[in-house]
Amino acid sequence: MTTPFGAVPEIYDRIRPSYPDALSDELFARLPRRPAVLELGPGTGQATKSLLDRGAIVTAVERGTNLSQFLTEKFASEES
């Protein structure tokens, strides 16, 4: 499945604004130190990056074929 966002994920990733750090800080103030997170529809991974940067163990599920491929490549070094 390809969405309009997933047609050229590299461009979408570059122009889409990320989430504010304050939002992630507030979320992580309420979570355990290394939470296990299931992220549905991560797109190109703006929230994924923030979660990983703060120590979360993330399982991201993306339906879009191009977006899924993009995420796999973008976060290949993060896999354990």
Side-chain angles (χ1 to χ4, degrees):
M1 178 175 129
T2 301
T3 64
F5 308 113
V8 186
E10 297 81 6
I11 294 172
Y12 179 61
D13 186 57
R14 192 176 41 207
I15 64 171
R16 187 200 183 287
S18 60
Y19 294 100
D21 286 336
L23 177 65
S24 295
D25 292 343
E26 181 68 27
L27 174 65
F28 271 79
R30 301 166 189 272
L31 294 173
R33 187 169 167 263
R34 287 200 32 94
V37 176
L38 174 61
E39 185 181 15
L40 302 176
T44 59
Q46 282 83 9
T48 311
K49 179 171 178 8
S50 181
L51 292 166
L52 291 169
D53 287 350
R54 287 171 170 76
I57 300 162
V58 180
T59 301
V61 179
E62 175 56 59
R63 284 182 43 181
T65 306
N66 292 347
L67 289 170
S68 180
Q69 173 91 26
F70 181 84
L71 278 169
T72 299
E73 293 169 9
K74 182 174 180 177
F75 296 110
S77 65
E78 304 287 340
E79 293 180 17
S80 52

